[in-house]
Amino acid sequence: LIVTVAHCCKMKYSALAVRLNTFIQAVDKELWVTEVYVPATLVAIGNNEDGRDYAVLRAKLPAGTPTLKLGNEDLDEPGSVVASTADIGNIGVQYTVGYITLLHAVAARDFKKSWEGNIGARLGGGLGSSGSPLYSVDQKAVIGVIVGGAPAPYGDIITFAAPVSRLKKFLADSNVR
């Protein structure tokens, strides 16, 4: 199974292709990135308006394709180091490292209600980051799925990720195995 975000997948598509990159090698500091496209089918899709901005795809992956385990965002804390890979700005897959700024965002004025409870991180990103993993370096596991970003008070961007605990509930509620 491959997890991304619902706002990047539309039900109207009759066929999807997934571009895989070797995130695990990037985490190990060997920035060896390959791009492989594989056909995929949509198994379950949530609604980004209610905080379930997930899409689950099924694909037959090439032999030896590395996978990432799901962690627990509550085992990390503000200041914990996180990483991600994304095709930011459609200029090529980039590896970014940052840190968690908050674990459970609260909805405030001008804040997306659907992002309430999300993880905030200072992590390079932009258009093309949605659907990428938020990877806990300590846990060596995914703790969230990046859904977007918002300006921070000091001119920086806070990247927001839907927490993996919500993803696990979405998978259970959708009977995805």
Side-chain angles (χ1 to χ4, degrees):
L1 295 176
I2 298 168
V3 175
T4 187
V5 291
H7 73 260
C8 289
C9 294
K10 303 292 183 204
M11 291 296 287
K12 66 181 179 185
Y13 296 138
S14 58
L16 294 169
V18 177
R19 183 177 62 184
L20 306 174
N21 62 60
T22 54
F23 179 74
I24 291 175
Q25 283 83 359
V27 170
D28 290 337
K29 303 291 187 259
E30 297 173 28
L31 291 175
W32 174 58
V33 176
T34 59
E35 293 186 3
V36 177
Y37 288 85
V38 296
T41 55
L42 191 60
V43 174
I45 191 163
N47 180 341
N48 64 338
E49 297 304 317
D50 67 6
R52 297 178 311 131
D53 192 2
Y54 303 109
V56 181
L57 309 169
R58 188 174 308 279
K60 183 170 175 58
L61 303 178
T65 301
T67 58
L68 298 172
K69 69 178 184 173
L70 299 180
N72 177 346
E73 72 274 5
D74 289 324
L75 296 179
D76 280 294
E77 58 188 26
S80 294
V81 178
V82 290
S84 190
T85 58
D87 188 356
I88 303 165
N90 202 27
I91 60 172
V93 176
Q94 299 169 54
Y95 172 66
T96 57
V97 177
Y99 59 92
I100 293 174
T101 57
L102 72 157
L103 280 175
H104 303 287
V106 295
R109 188 174 59 92
D110 298 329
F111 188 80
K112 290 187 175 187
K113 180 70 173 164
S114 63
W115 287 4
E116 188 165 344
N118 282 0
I119 303 164
R122 292 214 186 232
L123 180 73
L127 295 176
S129 297
S130 293
S132 299
L134 183 65
Y135 183 84
S136 166
V137 172
D138 289 340
Q139 292 184 52
K140 294 184 169 47
V142 175
I143 60 167
V145 181
I146 294 175
V147 295
Y154 308 105
D156 202 354
I157 298 290
I158 299 294
T159 299
F160 286 95
V164 77
S165 59
R166 194 181 308 149
L167 168 63
K168 290 175 181 178
K169 181 171 179 355
F170 173 76
L171 293 172
D173 291 349
S174 301
N175 291 318
V176 174
R177 297 192 193 313

